[in-house]
């Protein structure tokens, strides 16, 4: 069984919250579905893009996931759901309402019986936090600075303050088609998954994430403390996170 908590906050600088998230737990299929999006596209556009993507992704998963599916079939469903999310944002951006170019990141988790399939587009992230200690980033950012880190041109610490740290190389919505990277992980009792936008990871370091999650006491207080940490660092962006923990 999974416990799930979520939060979203406008932060201290932005004028609107362009993040969105959703959680759905189905007793019928046995799946828990979580999705987090960080929109972009100017006033109104980013907020609309993230909401459209969350709703389309969740709707496609709910309509197509079945209890007896194997994980390769689940992967096909989540890939379809990413396509549905991209189509929803792209088609809305083509309506001539000043929304051309709007887009959103996406990170998701579909979990069943201690196994999870994660998808990501952009720089919203998924982390695995083991019950026995330690944290590891599962997803790879689709961003300029991630590419520079992989090339050895800058360090991960330098990436945190790089002038191009907010430039992503893949998103849902700007183009007619988009694809996600997917990852499958196993969860032991007490392990946690954290899905979050860069409003959190840009201000709170990985070890601070792990420390708060390990000390959460099994409730939503750790997300409150993570938000406090982000705000203590200025919270220049919206902050959104979903935490899943296997009992």
């Amino acid at each position: 069984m999974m416990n799930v908590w979520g939060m979203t906050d406008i932060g201290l600088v932005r004028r609107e919250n362009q993040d969105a998230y959703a959680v759905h737990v189905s007793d019928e299929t046995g799946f828990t579905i979580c999705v987090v999006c960080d929109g972009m596209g100017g006033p109104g556009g980013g907020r609309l893009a993230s909401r459209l993507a969350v709703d389309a992704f969740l709707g496609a998963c709910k309509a197509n996931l079945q209890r007896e599916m194997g994980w390769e079939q689940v992967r096909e469903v989540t890939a379809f759901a990413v396509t549905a999310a991209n189509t929803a944002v792209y088609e809305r951006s083509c309506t001539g309402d000043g929304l051309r170019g709007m887009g959103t990141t996406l990170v998701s988790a579909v979990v069943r019986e201690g196994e999870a399939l994660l998808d990501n587009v952009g720089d919203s992230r998924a982390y695995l936090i083991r019950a026995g200690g330690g944290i590891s980033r599962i997803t790879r950012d689709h961003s300029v600075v991630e590419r520079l880190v992989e090339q050895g041109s800058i360090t991960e610490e330098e990436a945190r303050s790089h002038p191009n740290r907010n430039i992503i190389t893949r998103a849902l919505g700007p183009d007619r088609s988009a694809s996600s990277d997917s990852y499958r992980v196993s969860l032991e009792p007490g392990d946690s998954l954290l899905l979050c936008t860069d409003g959190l990871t840009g201000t709170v370091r990985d070890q601070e994430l792990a420390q708060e999650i390990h000390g959460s006491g099994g409730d939503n207080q750790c997300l409150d403390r993570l938000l406090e940490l982000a705000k203590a660092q200025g919270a220049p962006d919206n902050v959104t996170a979903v935490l899943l923990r296997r009992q």
Side-chain angles (χ1 to χ4, degrees), residues 18 37 45-46 60 64 70 73 75 80 103 106 135-136 140-142 144 154 158 183 190 197 213 229 231 236:
Q18 297 188 338
C37 291
N64 292 286
Q73 292 173 301
R75 193 184 303 272
F80 173 76
L106 180 145
I135 182 171
S136 58
R140 171 185 172 273
D141 292 350
H142 302 124
V144 169
I154 62 173
E158 289 171 335
Y183 309 81
T197 61
I213 290 170
L229 282 173
K231 287 186 173 180

Side-chain angles (χ1 to χ4, degrees), residues 7 23 33 45 47 50 76 82 84-85 91 103 105 123 142 170 172 180 182 200 206 209 220 222 224 246:
M7 68 88 176
V23 173
I33 307 164
R47 181 174 59 185
S50 63
E76 292 175 0
V82 168
E91 290 186 347
T105 69
D123 61 357
H142 302 124
R170 195 188 303 182
L172 299 181
S180 63
S182 63
L200 181 63
D206 291 3
L209 295 174
N220 200 43
C222 81
D224 293 337
R246 186 180 180 190

Side-chain angles (χ1 to χ4, degrees), residues 16-17 26 49 55 61 65 67 95 106 110 122 132 137 172 185-186 188 192 196 201 237:
E16 67 175 2
N17 192 344
S26 174
D55 291 345
C61 286
L65 287 173
R67 179 177 291 274
T95 59
L106 180 145
V110 175
R137 175 153 60 105
L172 299 181
V185 298
S186 297
E188 299 297 329
S192 299
C196 55
T201 57
D237 202 352

